[in-house]
């Protein structure tokens, strides 16, 4: 009996690893979480990534809360008002001139204004934000699903990652598994109003299955790519270059 369950466990974990590596092929072996296995820490990150991809293979939604659960205080950290002349000008115009370029491996590249995004189908979700710095808060976010925008512009078949850049120099990348998740949205509204500047106006990303640092604020550009090892130092994100995991699944 014991032997059988042990064998089952072993084949089970083999399946998990296999699924992770195949799941990785949604993101590719070039997924930063699987391609840099230099230290035991990298290995454990890679294993976390593989197991989470397997557990979440049916793309379940994260828990959504009732509006009554929205936190009265939602902390804000790092950049809270980008010190960038073009951003400041745009902010003074209430972002009327703001445009979001969508380029790279895209059939119909374009640039979208806030009004363009607001005219697209919207999703509102009340979710728990968890920051790696040890705090969490519940907020309501309204925006257009990234999947909708990407379907609108058409991803080329080679596209496997979405690279996003922010006004303050933050940048990050996401494999299609997370980029196309229904709760991955480009949010322009928070708690029933517009998105405040301190929370990333005019548009921020919400990636609900990862830690707060993956939810980029002050989005400036979106690009579809086949690989991310040509960006920056090749680790797939700014925070990864600082030593944080590229994949911050929770
Ligand atoms: N462009 C940009 N995006 C960012 C950050 C930032 O400083 N700049 N901070 C990140 C971190 S660590 C967290 S926890 C959340 C914080 O979002 P909030 O300030 O709206 O609470 O945004 C993330 N996205
Ligand atoms: Mo964070």
């Amino acid at each position: 009996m014991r032997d059988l369950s042990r064998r089952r466990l072993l084949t089970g974990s083999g399946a998990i690893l296999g699924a992770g590596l195949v799941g990785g092929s949604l993101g590719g072996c070039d997924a930063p979480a699987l391609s840099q296995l230099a230290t035991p820490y990298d290995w454990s990150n890679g294993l976390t990534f593989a197991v989470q991809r397997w557990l979440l293979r049916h793309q379940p939604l994260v828990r959504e809360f009732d509006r009554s659960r929205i936190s009265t205080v939602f902390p804000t950290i790092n950049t809270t008002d980008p010190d960038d002349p073009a951003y400041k000008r745009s902010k003074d115009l209430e972002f009327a001139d703001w445009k979001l370029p969508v380029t790279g491996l895209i059939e119909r590249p374009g640039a979208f204004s806030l009004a363009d995004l607001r005219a697209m189908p919207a999703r509102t979700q009340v979710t728990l934000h968890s920051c790696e710095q040890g705090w969490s808060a519940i907020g309501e976010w309204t925006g257009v699903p990234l999947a909708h925008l990407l379907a609108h512009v058409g991803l080329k078949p080679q596209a496997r990652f979405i690279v996003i850049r922010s006004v303050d120099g933050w940048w990050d990348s996401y494999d299609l598994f997370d980029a196309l998740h229904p709760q991955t949205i480009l949010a322009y509204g928070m708690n029933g109003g517009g998105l405040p500047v301190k929370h990333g106006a005019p548009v921020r990303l919400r990636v609900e299955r990862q830690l707060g640092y993956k939810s980029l604020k002050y989005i400036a550009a979106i690009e579809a790519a086949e690989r991310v090892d040509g960006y920056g130092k090749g680790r797939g994100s700014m925070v990864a270059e600082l030593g944080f995991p590229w994949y911050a699944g929770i």
Side-chain angles (χ1 to χ4, degrees):
M1 253 326 256
R2 209 182 294 146
D3 196 49
L4 186 70
S5 52
R6 199 182 108 111
R7 199 173 332 135
R8 221 187 260 153
L9 188 73
L10 285 178
T11 48
S13 58
I16 289 176
L17 271 180
L21 293 171
V22 177
S25 82
L26 245 181
C29 293
D30 42 334
L34 289 175
S35 62
Q36 278 135 20
L37 299 175
T39 68
Y41 180 65
D42 297 330
W43 278 95
S44 70
N45 272 340
L47 189 63
T48 303
F49 177 72
V51 171
Q52 292 211 6
R53 277 290 182 274
W54 183 75
L55 289 173
L56 302 175
R57 64 197 179 284
H58 301 305
Q59 294 279 42
L61 299 185
V62 305
R63 179 173 175 195
E64 295 190 13
F65 298 83
D66 187 78
R67 295 206 77 232
S68 64
R69 300 286 303 278
I70 293 174
S71 303
T72 42
V73 178
F74 198 111
T76 182
I77 56 161
N78 305 318
T79 309
T80 53
D81 194 3
D83 189 20
D84 174 85
Y87 180 83
K88 288 180 176 173
R89 266 197 307 278
S90 187
K91 184 175 66 175
D92 289 343
L93 299 170
E94 290 174 349
F95 304 108
D97 63 336
W98 180 85
K99 287 236 166 175
L100 175 64
V102 184
T103 61
L105 296 173
I106 296 288
E107 303 286 0
R108 299 170 293 280
F112 300 85
S113 68
L114 205 45
D116 294 333
L117 297 185
R118 284 180 184 278
M120 291 179 180
R123 186 177 209 285
T124 293
Q125 58 205 33
V126 179
T127 52
L128 178 72
H129 175 102
S130 299
C131 170
E132 73 296 342
Q133 298 188 1
W135 56 271
S136 52
I138 294 177
E140 182 193 66
W141 307 99
T142 299
V144 55
L146 182 57
H148 176 86
L149 181 65
L150 295 175
H152 182 79
V153 293
L155 277 179
K156 291 199 169 157
Q158 317 91 281
R160 291 167 83 173
F161 293 94
I162 303 301
V163 181
I164 302 188
R165 296 178 188 285
S166 292
V167 167
D168 59 355
W170 282 54
W171 66 277
D172 215 317
S173 64
Y174 310 83
D175 58 13
L176 295 186
F177 191 79
D178 270 342
L180 301 179
H181 184 266
Q183 287 166 320
T184 298
I185 64 172
L186 296 170
Y188 46 71
M190 182 185 186
N191 298 344
L195 182 66
V197 166
K198 61 184 177 181
H199 291 298
V203 172
R204 79 172 300 162
L205 186 68
R206 293 297 312 167
V207 179
E208 304 291 359
R209 292 187 305 192
Q210 295 200 48
L211 285 174
Y213 64 75
K214 296 294 283 198
S215 286
L216 287 180
K217 310 196 278 187
Y218 316 110
I219 290 182
I222 295 182
E223 196 183 327
E226 185 172 6
R227 314 175 59 92
V228 289
D229 50 7
Y231 292 78
K233 295 179 187 158
R235 302 211 177 112
S237 76
M238 185 201 81
V239 291
E241 292 173 0
L242 299 174
F244 291 87
W246 171 81
Y247 179 66
I250 46 176

